[in-house]
Amino acid sequence: MSSPVGIFTPRVAHLQRETSESSIDLSLNLDGTGVSDIRTSVPFYDHLLTAFAKHSLCDLTVRASGDIEIDVHHTVEDVGIVLGQAIRQALGDKSGISRYGDALVPLDEALAQAVVDISGRPYLVHTGEPAGFEFHLIGGHFTGSMVRHVFEAITFHAGLTVHVTVLGGRDPHHIAEAEFKAFARAFRLAKALDPLVHGIPSTKGAL
């Protein structure tokens, strides 16, 4: 959000989404300290979103419920949609941001890389997860396939270009968490306000 010189406009968003499959209430502060309060009714997803908030230095509050007796898919994906929408709203016109960020994050034997461009053009490249990862139940309820679904939802609705690459790993929990932490660290750099950047960081004048 643009503002007169010397006046800081908070980069925050509060969104709600109600469907027949889920109910989401989400608050986001891009300039926070990593404080979070996540209750999605899907415990491992809470764990991943808590890691995202902590390592992106976003303050994030999520209250979500849904038809998890059928599957966690709807609730997990819908939270990703709302988080993406909140990111887009909180970024405003993107004036003064660094725009690009990248990170390489290990978690024991797992290693993940993420690159983020706050481009306004949704695009996800997601590679490297080991064969069978998408079928694994993490925590008994969260399938590995949901990791990509979440990144797709965030990327599309936030207007980000994101590359996430798994470079190594054996334990599905470690792989998923490394991916989210790498994305968080890359997003932290991309959303950061750069005092050397004046206006929109694009030759087109808009992102």
Side-chain angles (χ1 to χ4, degrees):
M1 301 177 183
S2 60
S3 59
V5 175
I7 299 177
F8 175 75
T9 301
R11 298 189 298 169
V12 299
H14 178 213
L15 297 176
Q16 296 175 316
R17 185 175 192 263
E18 295 274 351
T19 73
S20 62
E21 297 172 339
S22 69
S23 174
I24 316 291
D25 188 295
L26 184 148
S27 295
L28 175 71
N29 178 2
L30 293 182
D31 302 298
T33 59
V35 174
S36 63
D37 185 3
I38 315 291
R39 303 181 199 175
T40 66
S41 68
V42 183
F44 186 68
Y45 195 30
D46 293 354
H47 180 60
L48 294 177
L49 291 177
T50 298
F52 167 76
K54 183 71 172 180
H55 295 286
S56 67
L57 293 183
C58 290
D59 292 346
L60 179 63
T61 300
V62 181
R63 294 290 181 272
S65 60
D67 55 0
I68 61 171
E69 71 281 359
I70 297 173
D71 190 0
V72 304
H73 186 115
H74 298 147
T75 301
V76 169
E77 187 172 30
D78 289 354
V79 170
I81 289 170
V82 178
L83 177 56
Q85 292 171 336
I87 288 171
R88 181 189 285 270
Q89 180 176 312
L91 283 168
D93 67 4
K94 308 179 184 73
S95 180
I97 63 168
S98 294
R99 178 175 170 176
Y100 300 101
D102 68 277
L104 190 63
V105 172
L107 179 54
D108 295 345
E109 88 296 342
L111 182 64
Q113 181 180 36
V115 182
V116 172
D117 175 11
I118 301 177
S119 61
R121 299 184 305 277
Y123 204 97
L124 174 68
V125 178
H126 182 249
T127 60
E129 290 178 344
F133 174 86
E134 67 272 26
F135 304 119
H136 191 87
L137 276 178
I138 307 172
H141 55 272
F142 187 97
T143 56
S145 64
M146 293 310 304
V147 173
R148 180 176 296 185
H149 279 307
V150 174
F151 286 136
E152 286 171 341
I154 294 172
T155 296
F156 182 83
H157 291 278
L160 307 177
T161 297
V162 176
H163 290 245
V164 177
T165 306
V166 177
L167 299 172
R170 180 185 58 82
D171 183 273
H173 182 143
H174 291 172
I175 292 168
E177 188 171 340
E179 291 184 78
F180 268 76
K181 287 179 175 177
F183 172 65
R185 289 289 300 187
F187 180 66
R188 170 180 170 179
L189 296 174
K191 70 168 173 81
L193 296 171
D194 187 336
L196 298 179
V197 175
H198 300 283
I200 310 297
S202 170
T203 55
K204 298 189 297 293
L207 289 172

